[in-house]
Amino acid sequence: GGRAYLTTADGELVIAAPKPDGSMAWEKQIPLKGKVKGTTFPCGVAVSSDEKHAYVCLSRDNTLACVDL
């Protein structure tokens, strides 16, 4: 736990993890590809309770991406 899951305007899911001093550090960047050419405009994230999957709304595609974490 303690991770932060965010989306970017560049079409990525980014994950930040806590460091021992309490600050956060970028841990992973995952590109989100869609059917439509260009950025997918990800706009919402839900993470499974076991933190193995993230579900991301890809606004421009009108789809939901399931991402293995």
Side-chain angles (χ1 to χ4, degrees), residues 7-8 10-13 30-36 38-45 54-67:
T7 58
T8 71
D10 291 330
E12 295 178 319
L13 172 64
I30 303 168
L32 299 168
K33 303 293 182 192
K35 298 178 206 172
V36 178
T39 186
T40 57
F41 294 109
C43 60
V45 180
Y55 303 94
V56 184
C57 175
L58 304 179
S59 179
R60 190 165 180 209
D61 279 357
N62 291 321
T63 59
L64 183 68
C66 178
V67 180

Side-chain angles (χ1 to χ4, degrees), residues 4-24:
Y5 299 85
L6 307 99
T7 58
T8 71
D10 291 330
E12 295 178 319
L13 172 64
V14 293
I15 304 168
K19 294 175 20 178
D21 67 2
S23 64
M24 301 293 279

